[in-house]
Amino acid sequence: QVQLVESGGGPVQAEGSLRLSCAASGFDIRHKCVAWFRQAPGKEREGVARMNPIGGATYYSTSVQGRFTISRDSARNTMSLEMNSLKPEDSAMYYCATVVDGNCPGFVISRYTYWGQGTQVTVSS
């Protein structure tokens, strides 16, 4: 079955960098939309970055555009989120997610069927 396992979170100082990874099993990461979401305490879950299967087109939320980069490693069947110039407002639980089939349905949370357990990112000022 489809499983997603995130890693790489932790504490970091503002302006620092972190790289999150999401190990996928039960499917080929090249053939599904993959995305990163985050949720801070008291806030709604929000989409951060996504990548379409065919062609690998990427999309980012305006809050992370230019600072975060989503990528995938087909040999390891993993996807990553490189986060640079981190800000305290980037602190959140970060989740990777995928869909049943097809291109990414934007950042519509209800359309993402499979989720990892999350990894915490804490940015201190």
Side-chain angles (χ1 to χ4, degrees), residues 26-106:
F27 72 102
D28 188 328
I29 203 163
R30 296 171 298 176
H31 298 161
K32 286 187 183 290
C33 158
V34 288
W36 286 95
F37 290 76
R38 68 185 181 186
Q39 187 166 19
K43 295 189 176 181
E44 293 186 354
R45 191 169 297 191
E46 62 173 349
V48 173
R50 66 184 192 262
M51 176 181 284
N52 278 337
I54 306 301
T58 58
Y59 302 87
Y60 300 90
S61 67
T62 55
S63 62
V64 307
Q65 178 76 46
R67 300 188 297 123
F68 290 13
T69 303
I70 187 173
S71 61
R72 64 188 176 200
D73 182 337
S74 58
R76 298 174 60 195
N77 213 43
T78 61
M79 69 169 183
S80 297
L81 185 69
E82 183 74 30
M83 307 186 295
N84 298 313
S85 301
L86 283 162
K87 305 175 182 180
E89 52 263 43
D90 292 319
S91 296
M93 186 73 79
Y94 282 72
Y95 301 89
C96 58
T98 189
V99 299
V100 172
D101 200 5
N103 280 340
C104 294

Side-chain angles (χ1 to χ4, degrees), residues 10 20 29 49 57 91 101 110-111 115:
L20 306 182
I29 203 163
S91 296
D101 200 5
S110 61
R111 300 281 302 279
W115 294 82

